[in-house]
Amino acid sequence: MDAPAAVVVGSADCMSAQVLADLGLVADGATPGTGTPHPDAPETGRVPDDFLPVSVVVCAPGGTLHDSSGTWVALTASRLEGDLDPLVAALRRPSAPRGGTCSSAAVTEPSLWLVDALGRAIRPAWPTDRCGTPDPAVTRALDALEETGREQYPVRLVVPTATTPAG
């Protein structure tokens, strides 16, 4: 069965609760500790035939960040550009039917946004093999692109800075 088409939204947002949950950075439905609300991200879906991306935003776990509040689990958002045709072709491939003997090692792929010339974005579904492992053709296509920007964002405070009691 063909996946439904991905929904086009106003912009890519790596800090939406759905993306953070997909990456295992926050529990499902939990709010990141940044204090800034983020709109819900649409479900992933098939790349629509009439959507013409000019860049990709890759959201991935990004280690830790340190500030005056303490140590945070971080997310890295990378912008990639170049020839997106191989990536779009790889994302349009169907996932293989599940089944057979598979290893128990779970692989979490980064969360992707394809962005068009107007800044609108979709969350494409990442095709998988029969074991649910991300299709390596997508990874190869991503690796062929050039990183043009990178941002790190604090997601969840894990080690608060010790404070001295007043008085």
Side-chain angles (χ1 to χ4, degrees):
M1 184 169 116
D2 205 13
V7 175
V8 179
V9 295
S11 64
D13 185 1
C14 288
M15 293 294 289
S16 72
Q18 292 81 1
V19 171
L20 295 174
D22 287 351
L23 296 173
L25 293 174
V26 295
D28 243 341
T31 304
T34 60
T36 307
H38 290 268
D40 285 346
E43 291 294 320
T44 61
R46 175 179 49 76
V47 178
D49 292 337
D50 61 349
F51 189 82
L52 302 172
V54 297
S55 65
V56 182
V57 174
V58 179
C59 312
T64 58
L65 287 173
H66 306 279
D67 67 10
S68 60
S69 299
T71 303
W72 297 78
V73 169
L75 172 135
T76 299
S78 302
R79 181 170 292 276
L80 307 176
E81 295 179 356
D83 179 6
L84 298 184
D85 290 343
L87 175 62
V88 172
L91 289 168
R92 285 190 170 137
R93 292 169 57 166
S95 288
R98 290 287 184 101
T101 304
C102 300
S103 91
S104 60
V107 177
T108 301
E109 69 273 5
S111 185
L112 301 179
W113 291 89
L114 296 180
V115 182
D116 72 6
L118 299 175
R120 299 176 307 172
I122 64 166
R123 289 183 67 205
W126 191 310
T128 57
D129 67 13
R130 64 181 180 76
C131 294
T133 302
D135 187 330
V138 176
T139 304
R140 286 192 299 274
L142 286 170
D143 289 346
L145 299 173
E146 180 184 343
E147 184 177 79
T148 59
R150 175 182 286 245
E151 298 275 339
Q152 269 196 310
Y153 300 98
V155 176
R156 185 178 72 247
L157 187 62
V158 289
V159 181
T161 302
T163 57
T164 314

